[in-house]
Amino acid sequence: MKTFYITTAIDYVNGSPHLGHAYEKVLTDVIARFRRMMGDDVYFLTGTDEHGQKIQQSAQAQGIEPQAYVDSIAPEFRTMCEKLEISNDDFIRTTEPRHKKVVCELLQQLFDKGEIYKAEYQGYYSTRQEQFLQDKDRNEDGTWPEIYGEVSEITESNYFFKLGAYQEWLVDHIKTNTDFIFPRYRAKQVLEFLSEPLNDLCISRPKERLAWGIPLPFDPEFVTYVWFDALTNYYSAVADKKDLWPASFHVIGKDILVPPHAVYWPIMLQACGLPIPQSILAHGWWSINGAKMSKSTGNFVEPAEFVDQFGVDALRYFLIREMSVGQDSDFSMDQFLVRYNSELANNLGNLVNRTLNMTNRFADATVPEPAEGGEPEATLRAAWQKTHEEVVPLFEQFQFNVGLERAMSFITATNAYIEQRAPWKLGKSQDPADQALLRTALAHMAEALRLGSTLLQAVTPGSVAKIQGVLGYEAGSDWQAELVWDHRLTGNAVAKNCILFPRPEKKS
RNA sequence: GGGCCUUUAGCUCAAUGGUUAGAGCAGGGGACUCAUAAUCCCUUGGUUCCGGGUUCGAAUCCCGGAGGGCCUACCA
């Protein structure tokens, strides 16, 4: 079986992780966990991008070596992954020897084949910003904006990669393989970009201008510039492993779809004679309270702080529940609290707690054996059947937000079932028929809770494990078998109580 | 300039061209007491951005207009 190999983009370590980084990790993790649950052999890679000018500058500003600088920041990203309970199998850093080795091999191969050539580049260069400028950077009157300082026209030698030769092939591939880019409408953007002739890609920087990078294997006076370094991580991490390449999914932000992931990367691979990834998933961006996320305006959500305050599953749940994959979405405390309180605490959390309480009070803390039951039981089971059939395909199509909504509806249906049976009333009756019905009701609520929560497993794995724990249950490894209604909890001893999602303290 | 997307209830979003445009949350009313002041039931709320057109029939398709967003070679 082909391994399901999934990656996140690697994060540029020029700052601390924020909500956007967290989202991409969580989304990818949910897909990875779900595929594992569906029986796939999954390999999940994430990592950090550690070369380049900004890092060189940041290191210089702190008066330390770039390596020391990235060594200080990279762990933050690793820690965030742990904190978010990301189930990655590997974490690659572009400063690792295993990565540099593969980058050099690919570059050398392309150079030998004549796909890379040296040429002179002439342009306007800002010494202050240490970058080339373009005409669009000019003021309307043709002068250069203040921030660039002195701008001069210079000529520089660099190495270029022949992109253009593969343009037609790529257009054809995208048109033929409609699953190559998800969501599908984003493929239009790529094709639009490809409707103009491609310029060859500048893949180097002279060492005197940028020292912090991987030296070109065929010319040590130059270092590799961004894309051949960064994109290659997806391959370098698994180059020595069997049956992993090509990737099944690259999960990335919509901003780096065009051109790097949808154009440069497939062409690089094709030129190297390597298979190209099956699919690229471009997700949307989070705004905060309706405004673009930025450090300067202070609307900056620290994932770690959030996890400390509300728990990892609350954050994971919100990110996945709120965003339609591919679309943008807004993060606000109000909206978070709505989801947290009404869905996690009141609907699901309270169901857990009331189930435990009633089982303790009316059945000696043991899940009873159900009798046949009547119409309410049949309705509940039918609701489960429908939910089960709907949710799995929704998840397969990355419609996690809709899937979670359906799962929550089933939890609501379970709460409604309980109201209908009112076990607290049955508990007061000595009538054997009522006692039988009571046992049936308790068994049904426990089973429904087990099943409904199992649907959330990819999103809130810790909480689901806790629910199973308080139901005295240990799930098997076959997730799909866990979704079968069969009263396997009968006879289990349940916990006394369990507050899964405590109501947050009211803040004025 | 060119291209793409979007506009539906107070908010977030659903509705293969086919009954009376639906959910959740918020708002209003009621029930219940096992439970995290929770749960359940009922309910208010729509000129589907505007104007034309095609059609037996349009939120949906076409044309025009307005608002919002995005891409057009450095940021998840």
Side-chain angles (χ1 to χ4, degrees), chain A residues 12 15 32 46 61 66 115 128 178 207 210 213 246 351 377 417 457:
Chain A
Y12 200 57
T46 187
E115 301 275 2
R128 182 183 296 174
T178 51
K207 220 165 200 172
L210 174 64
L351 173 63
E377 284 74 22
Y417 165 79
Q457 195 168 311

Side-chain angles (χ1 to χ4, degrees), chain A residues 50-277:
Chain A
E50 307 190 353
H51 289 123
Q53 196 167 64
K54 283 180 186 168
I55 284 167
Q56 185 176 296
Q57 285 167 347
S58 298
Q60 206 166 16
Q62 292 189 16
I64 56 175
E65 288 298 309
Q67 187 65 53
Y69 177 79
V70 296
D71 285 347
S72 72
I73 308 275
E76 280 190 50
F77 284 86
R78 222 187 264 262
T79 304
M80 179 184 72
C81 285
E82 284 162 17
K83 196 135 195 168
L84 292 171
E85 295 181 11
I86 304 301
S87 63
N88 55 303
D89 297 287
D90 193 4
F91 188 103
I92 192 164
R93 301 176 54 186
T94 55
T95 48
E96 290 176 51
R98 59 169 174 158
H99 173 71
K100 295 181 191 173
K101 173 171 166 279
V102 172
V103 169
C104 288
E105 283 168 4
L106 295 187
L107 284 170
Q108 185 68 52
Q109 183 194 340
L110 291 177
F111 185 70
D112 292 344
K113 279 166 71 177
E115 301 275 2
I116 289 173
Y117 63 93
K118 192 175 187 180
E120 287 194 334
Y121 178 84
Q122 194 175 43
Y124 294 95
Y125 186 75
S126 155
T127 315
R128 182 183 296 174
Q129 292 291 322
E130 299 189 29
Q131 62 169 314
F132 278 93
L133 305 176
Q134 299 182 342
D135 281 330
K136 67 169 186 179
D137 296 319
R138 287 178 192 268
N139 290 323
E140 287 195 5
D141 61 5
T143 62
W144 298 103
E146 275 284 319
I147 54 159
Y148 296 122
E150 190 188 336
V151 175
S152 51
E153 192 171 10
I154 65 167
T155 301
E156 186 175 285
S157 282
N158 262 314
Y159 285 88
F160 291 82
F161 170 53
K162 294 180 183 173
L163 281 180
Y166 297 91
Q167 183 157 2
E168 207 174 312
W169 161 80
L170 182 58
V171 168
D172 187 60
H173 180 83
I174 291 170
K175 285 182 175 166
T176 312
N177 298 277
T178 51
D179 291 336
F180 183 55
I181 291 163
F182 182 94
R184 213 160 271 195
Y185 60 82
R186 293 245 174 243
K188 286 187 189 174
Q189 227 172 62
V190 181
L191 290 170
E192 162 71 12
F193 179 81
L194 286 168
S195 66
E196 298 287 319
L198 281 175
N199 294 326
D200 288 346
L201 179 67
C202 182
I203 60 154
S204 69
R205 286 292 182 271
K207 220 165 200 172
E208 57 268 22
R209 197 146 78 71
L210 174 64
W212 184 235
I214 302 173
L216 294 183
F218 41 81
D219 189 341
E221 291 308 304
F222 292 83
V223 300
T224 311
Y225 181 65
V226 55
W227 299 118
F228 260 90
D229 183 351
L231 291 168
T232 304
N233 90 86
Y234 302 131
Y235 177 67
S236 67
V238 300
D240 61 346
K241 296 185 175 66
K242 257 194 170 173
D243 298 329
L244 281 180
W245 194 258
S248 308
F249 274 91
H250 291 315
V251 177
I252 60 168
K254 62 178 184 176
D255 54 306
I256 49 173
L257 177 67
V258 183
H261 282 81
V263 178
Y264 301 160
W265 182 227
I267 291 181
M268 284 161 60
L269 289 164
Q270 176 76 359
C272 290
L274 291 166
I276 68 172

